[in-house]
């Protein structure tokens, strides 16, 4: 199966059609034009929708749901039906979001919790519901406290959770949030307007065992030429540069101001070369200062998770960002030890992580995972 080409976002009774290859919304339609026979109470908006992979879309609003064959977009007779009693084991009285994980499981979200549903067994798995921030490492409990309003699995190793005007990106294999989130939907999903009330798509496949994806191949071929001078002239392996760019920018989807590497700026830098962005930091002290501190959460290991706004570099082009990244590593004495491993990209990456490139303690593992995807895609 191929990765998704289309996803759908609803707000205020309207559906925006998002084209993944074009990376933009390509059309808008009222809900009543998308599905025929939609009950009147569903017409003003829906809470969630999910495709179980058998040609049926299930659409939820309040305590009820309808079933819609994707071949006809006509609501089946006999619906709506109550959620209670029709989805064995699910204790939620309503569903805020739903996502097919592509491995035979569906996730239903309600408030700050979620339940995992086994499609083949037609029942909720034991041990649920659980907190979203527990099931997906790195998701801020304070952020998820407002509930998840939409969820999309792309089939490329990435999934996204939406809450109103913000979203986070998840690593499918690690089942963990990527660094640097949440981010504003409006800045990174061209054409998606208004707070997201629901998101869905046709069932996406599960990336098998972390192989290369179409997204990795496209990213490699699009940006490797920008990384080559850094290896040839400064000793920064191409694979490390591309891995960091893919990780920090979510495969190029989140590179505000062409900053592909999450490189910080100073408040004293020229205004045109800096931008204030929301980010996540993990520090050992509870009193660090930033331009804006949104939240500070103690972690079990004694460190503190910060959600802040901080200054980041802004670049005129992606190529300028790649060039500055290589020079940033070469000229910064804290990364000197990494250059003992210029012939071993994975050792180089681990040395950069150990030197403190990012505050996330999982950074080395996540970075080398991206590098393996890119290496396999060539």
């Amino acid at each position: 199966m191929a990765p998704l080409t289309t996803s759908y976002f609803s707000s205020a009774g309207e559906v925006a059609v998002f084209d993944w290859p074009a990376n933009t919304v390509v059309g808008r339609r009222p809900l009543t034009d998308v599905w025929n026979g939609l009950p009147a109470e569903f017409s003003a908006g829906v809470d969630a929708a999910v495709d179980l992979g058998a040609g049926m879309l299930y659409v939820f609003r309040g305590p009820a749901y309808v079933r819609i064959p994707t071949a006809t977009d006509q609501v089946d007779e006999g619906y709506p039906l109550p959620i209670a009693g029709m989805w064995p084991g699910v204790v939620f009285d309503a569903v805020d979001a739903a996502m097919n994980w592509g491995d035979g499981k569906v996730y239903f979200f309600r408030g700050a919790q979620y339940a995992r549903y086994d499609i083949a067994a037609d029942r909720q798995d034991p041990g649920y519901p659980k907190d979203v921030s527990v099931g997906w490492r790195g998701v801020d409990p304070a952020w998820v406290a407002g509930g998840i309003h939409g969820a999309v699995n792309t089939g490329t190793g990435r999934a996204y959770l939406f809450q109103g005007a913000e979203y986070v990106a998840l690593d499918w294999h690690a089942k963990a949030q990527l660094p640097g989130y949440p981010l504003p939907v409006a800045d990174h999903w061209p054409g998606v307007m208004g707070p997201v009330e629901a998101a869905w798509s046709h069932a996406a496949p599960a990336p098998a065992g972390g192989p290369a994806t179409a997204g990795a191949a496209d990213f490699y071929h699009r940006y490797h030429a920008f990384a080559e001078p850094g290896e040839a002239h400064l000793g920064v392996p191409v694979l490390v540069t591309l891995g960091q760019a893919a990780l920090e920018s979510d495969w190029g989807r989140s590179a505000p101001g062409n900053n592909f590497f999450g490189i910080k700026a100073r408040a004293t830098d020229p205004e045109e070369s800096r931008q204030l962005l929301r980010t996540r930091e993990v520090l050992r002290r509870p009193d660090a200062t930033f331009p804006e501190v949104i939240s500070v959460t103690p972690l079990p290991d004694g460190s503190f998770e910060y959600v802040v706004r901080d200054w980041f570099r802004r670049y005129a082009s992606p190529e300028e960002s790649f060039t500055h990244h290589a020079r940033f590593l070469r000229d910064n004495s804290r990364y000197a030890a990494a250059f003992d491993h210029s012939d071993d990209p994975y050792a180089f990456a681990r040395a950069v992580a150990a030197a403190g490139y990012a505050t996330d303690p999982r950074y080395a593992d996540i970075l080398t995972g991206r590098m393996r995807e890119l290496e396999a895609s060539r």
Side-chain angles (χ1 to χ4, degrees):
M1 295 175 67
L4 291 183
T5 58
T6 308
S7 291
Y8 305 89
F9 298 88
S10 73
S11 180
E14 185 179 69
V15 175
V17 182
F18 190 87
D19 184 285
W20 284 89
N23 190 37
T24 191
V25 168
V26 294
R28 301 179 187 281
R29 300 166 63 191
L31 275 172
T32 50
D33 287 353
V34 174
W35 299 308
N36 299 315
L38 199 64
E41 60 270 28
F42 283 62
S43 300
V46 299
D47 298 329
V50 65
D51 184 340
L52 300 191
M56 292 290 180
L57 189 72
Y58 295 84
V59 180
F60 300 81
R61 178 178 170 84
Y65 75 100
V66 297
R67 189 179 68 188
I68 305 173
T70 55
T72 65
D73 288 331
Q74 172 72 46
V75 174
D76 274 345
E77 293 186 9
Y79 291 85
L81 290 173
I83 295 171
M86 301 303 296
W87 296 84
V90 174
V91 298
F92 298 146
D93 57 352
V95 173
D96 296 333
M99 174 169 55
N100 189 334
W101 201 238
D103 61 353
K105 307 290 186 179
V106 169
Y107 293 97
F108 293 112
F109 298 86
R110 179 64 168 164
Q113 293 190 311
Y114 74 102
R116 190 176 71 189
Y117 200 86
D118 187 292
I119 297 173
D122 193 23
R123 60 171 175 78
Q124 179 179 298
D125 284 340
Y128 291 86
K130 296 180 179 179
D131 290 344
V132 174
S133 59
V134 172
W136 279 276
R137 291 174 295 128
V139 176
D140 181 5
W143 184 79
V144 81
I148 300 300
H149 302 151
V152 171
N153 171 27
T154 67
T156 66
R158 289 289 176 274
Y160 299 93
L161 301 180
F162 298 83
Q163 185 198 87
E166 293 186 324
Y167 77 103
V168 300
L170 305 175
D171 182 305
W172 192 96
H173 301 289
K175 209 173 179 188
Q177 180 181 307
L178 293 173
Y181 291 87
L183 289 172
V185 173
D187 291 352
H188 304 283
W189 296 78
V192 177
M193 307 291 290
V196 172
E197 295 177 357
W200 65 92
S201 58
H202 297 303
T213 66
D218 178 72
F219 191 88
Y220 180 87
H221 291 295
R222 183 175 298 185
Y223 296 110
H224 79 277
F226 297 155
E228 289 175 346
E231 179 173 284
H233 304 305
L234 298 173
V236 182
V238 166
L239 196 57
V240 172
T241 299
L242 290 174
Q244 287 195 289
L247 173 57
E248 300 290 343
S249 73
D250 186 17
W251 301 102
R253 287 189 54 81
S254 300
N258 291 309
N259 191 334
F260 278 75
F261 300 93
I263 293 178
K264 296 289 187 70
R266 292 184 291 267
T268 55
D269 288 343
E271 186 174 349
E272 66 273 12
S273 70
R274 59 184 167 92
Q275 55 188 330
L276 197 61
L277 299 175
R278 183 165 176 161
T279 188
R280 170 184 173 270
E281 306 281 359
V282 178
L283 303 174
R284 300 301 299 181
R285 50 183 291 190
D287 57 351
T289 59
F290 294 89
E292 181 182 351
V293 176
I294 298 170
S295 67
V296 181
T297 304
L299 298 177
D301 65 357
S303 60
F304 297 86
E305 180 182 70
Y306 286 73
V307 178
V308 303
R309 286 189 175 88
D310 203 359
W311 290 111
F312 286 81
R313 285 292 303 265
R314 184 191 298 273
Y315 300 97
S317 66
E319 184 175 9
E320 182 182 337
S321 176
F322 277 70
T323 299
H324 181 259
H325 168 263
R327 179 55 64 185
F328 172 81
L329 292 181
R330 180 81 261 188
D331 292 348
N332 196 323
S333 61
R334 73 190 297 181
Y335 303 117
F339 289 88
D340 293 336
H341 308 287
S342 288
D343 59 347
D344 183 343
Y346 291 94
F348 190 105
R350 287 190 290 271
V352 167
Y357 189 93
T359 60
D360 191 327
R362 301 170 294 121
Y363 187 75
D365 292 337
I366 299 173
L367 171 57
T368 54
R370 299 294 80 71
M371 291 165 58
R372 291 188 185 95
E373 289 185 72
L374 286 157
E375 189 172 35
S377 74
R378 291 186 293 184

